[in-house]
């Protein structure tokens, strides 16, 4: 009897420790996102005041440095840390288990390292390329390596989320994946597919920034960036939709109208998210009108899952 009680106490302690580690991990993501949001907002405010001639910034901190810091921190870093933290929370709370958070922590630290590297490059004036970083503007290798690490860290977070879902299906083969965890997985899969574009772009820009190549195909770097740059917006939308479908009903004690339609909406967003980037390049002469038309039509397709969500 004493042994049984001891084993039970040990199991409860392990479960509580796992829960505590998960909470710390989620809070690390969210607190980092909040800090970055504050810094990005500060740079945006300074940029606006400078543009309106209300203040005069020192010569070493020029307008485009502020603009790049504002755009990168707000559009890329803040949103990425917040969504990875929130989707980790959605997964951990709906798939309760004793788990290791090592993989997700590794992702967090790689993301943090990349953020620090890119921010240093921006603030020292060697990466005033705005958040739409493609040729012919050139940043220092530090910025490009930082962006690469930020993306690589999110892949580790994705691997952790998917590992939890695989565990759940093995334990419960006849059950559906809990809806919040399902939405988290689809969102991160979409993100990983989208970031293949910016990763390929880095394989071009990093050697160029190091002086290993004499030039680059500007049109190709633009296309690879927008392969990622527009699905980035879907990443934000899917994070917001996850809140809409999970947090809002829980808060107001409501129910989802249709679990199946919710899953269909997310799968549609996944399928429609990638082949749309060319609609940012209507005036680029190197892309045929046929490809531009196709991307335009697919872009309008997102209205279907959006209207499902509104309904």
């Amino acid at each position: 009897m004493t042994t049984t009680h001891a084993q039970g106490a040990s199991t409860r302690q392990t479960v509580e420790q796992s829960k505590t580690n998960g909470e710390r991990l989620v809070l690390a993501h969210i607190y980092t996102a909040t800090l970055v949001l504050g810094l990005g907002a500060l740079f945006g405010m300074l940029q606006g005041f400078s543009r309106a001639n209300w203040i005069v910034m020192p010569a070493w901190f020029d307008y485009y440095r502020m603009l790049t810091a504002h755009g990168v921190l707000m559009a890329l870093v803040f949103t990425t840390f917040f969504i990875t933290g929130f989707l980790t929370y959605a997964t951990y709370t709906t798939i309760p288990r004793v788990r290791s958070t090592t993989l997700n922590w590794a992702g967090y630290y790689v993301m943090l390292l990349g953020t620090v590297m890119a921010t240093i490059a921006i603030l020292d004036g060697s990466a005033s390329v705005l958040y739409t970083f493609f040729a012919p503007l050139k940043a220092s290798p530090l910025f490009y390596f930082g962006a690469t690490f930020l993306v690589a860290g999110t892949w580790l977070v994705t691997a952790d989320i998917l590992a939890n879902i695989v565990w759940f299906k093995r334990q419960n083969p006849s059950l559906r994946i809990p809806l919040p965890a399902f939405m988290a997985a689809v969102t991160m899969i979409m993100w990983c597919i989208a970031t293949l574009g910016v990763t390929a772009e880095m394989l071009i820009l990093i050697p160029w920034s190091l002086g290993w190549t004499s030039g680059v195909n500007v049109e190709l770097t633009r296309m690879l960036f927008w392969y990622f740059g527009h699905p980035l917006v879907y990443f934000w939308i899917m994070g917001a939709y996850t809140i809409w479908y999970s947090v809002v009903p829980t808060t107001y004690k409501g129910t989802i109208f249709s679990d199946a339609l919710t899953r269909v909406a997310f799968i549609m967003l996944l399928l429609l998210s990638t082949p749309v980037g060319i609609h940012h390049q209507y005036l680029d002469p190197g892309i045929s009108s046929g490809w531009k038309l196709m991307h335009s039509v697919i872009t309008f397709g997102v209205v279907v899952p959006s209207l499902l969500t509104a309904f």
Side-chain angles (χ1 to χ4, degrees):
M1 183 66 70
T2 303
T3 302
T4 302
H5 280 303
Q7 290 175 341
S10 176
T11 300
R12 286 193 298 273
Q13 184 178 7
T14 302
V15 171
E16 287 300 318
Q17 184 62 41
S18 175
K19 182 179 178 181
T20 301
N21 289 340
E23 290 172 350
R24 289 173 178 169
L25 171 63
V26 170
L27 288 175
H29 281 272
I30 299 301
Y31 286 159
T32 303
T34 305
L35 174 62
V36 170
L37 174 65
L39 290 174
L42 173 63
F43 289 130
M45 182 180 66
L46 292 176
Q47 165 205 332
F49 288 166
S50 174
R51 188 73 170 178
N53 293 320
W54 291 357
I55 60 174
V56 177
M57 298 299 294
W60 57 267
F61 199 59
D62 59 90
Y63 174 79
Y64 286 104
R65 197 177 312 193
M66 287 186 289
L67 182 60
T68 301
H70 171 66
V72 170
L73 293 177
M74 296 288 274
L76 298 177
V77 181
F78 157 64
T79 55
T80 302
F81 272 102
F82 181 86
I83 295 173
T84 53
F86 173 67
L87 297 184
T88 296
Y89 175 78
T91 303
Y92 283 10
T93 53
T94 54
I95 302 181
R97 58 176 288 217
V98 176
R99 62 169 59 83
S100 169
T101 57
T102 302
L103 186 60
N104 205 309
W105 271 116
Y108 168 78
Y109 284 119
V110 173
M111 291 167 63
L112 187 63
L113 173 63
T115 298
V116 171
M117 292 171 66
T119 303
I120 290 173
I122 293 169
L123 296 182
D124 72 10
S126 63
S128 296
V129 293
L130 313 185
Y131 99 92
T132 52
F133 44 89
F134 45 72
L137 295 178
K138 182 192 291 187
S140 71
L142 186 64
F143 176 82
Y144 295 134
F145 278 115
T148 303
F149 283 134
L150 175 63
V151 168
T154 64
W155 291 351
L156 295 176
V157 175
T158 303
D160 178 58
I161 290 174
L162 295 180
N164 280 276
I165 288 176
V166 169
W167 176 90
F168 177 85
K169 289 302 293 182
R170 285 177 176 171
Q171 300 298 316
N172 309 278
S174 62
L175 297 180
R176 284 183 175 181
I177 300 167
L179 183 59
F182 176 85
M183 293 186 289
V186 174
T187 300
M188 293 309 298
I189 289 171
M190 186 282 298
W191 169 258
C192 286
I193 294 172
T195 52
L196 292 176
V198 76
T199 302
E201 184 192 8
M202 292 302 103
L203 295 178
I204 299 172
L205 295 182
I206 289 176
W208 180 50
S209 67
L210 290 169
W212 296 350
T213 57
S214 58
V216 295
N217 185 323
V218 173
E219 190 73 32
L220 179 60
T221 65
R222 285 172 56 82
M223 186 180 70
L224 289 173
F225 177 85
W226 285 118
Y227 176 95
F228 154 79
H230 190 80
L232 171 66
V233 178
Y234 289 74
F235 186 52
W236 305 341
I237 289 174
M238 293 167 79
Y241 284 3
T242 302
I243 294 173
W244 182 254
Y245 281 121
S246 57
V247 177
V248 173
T250 302
T251 302
Y252 294 99
K253 297 179 173 58
T255 58
I256 296 293
F257 176 79
S258 171
D259 180 278
L261 279 180
T262 302
R263 295 171 193 263
V264 167
F266 268 73
I267 291 173
M268 289 187 69
L269 285 166
L270 170 63
L271 296 176
L272 294 169
S273 63
T274 300
V276 293
I278 288 176
H279 77 232
H280 288 269
Q281 298 177 267
Y282 285 148
L283 298 181
D284 287 19
I287 303 172
S288 70
S289 58
W291 280 107
K292 292 174 181 177
L293 176 62
M294 186 194 79
H295 279 234
S296 299
V297 172
I298 297 174
T299 299
F300 284 115
V302 78
V303 73
V304 178
S306 295
L307 285 176
L308 282 174
T309 301
F311 171 74

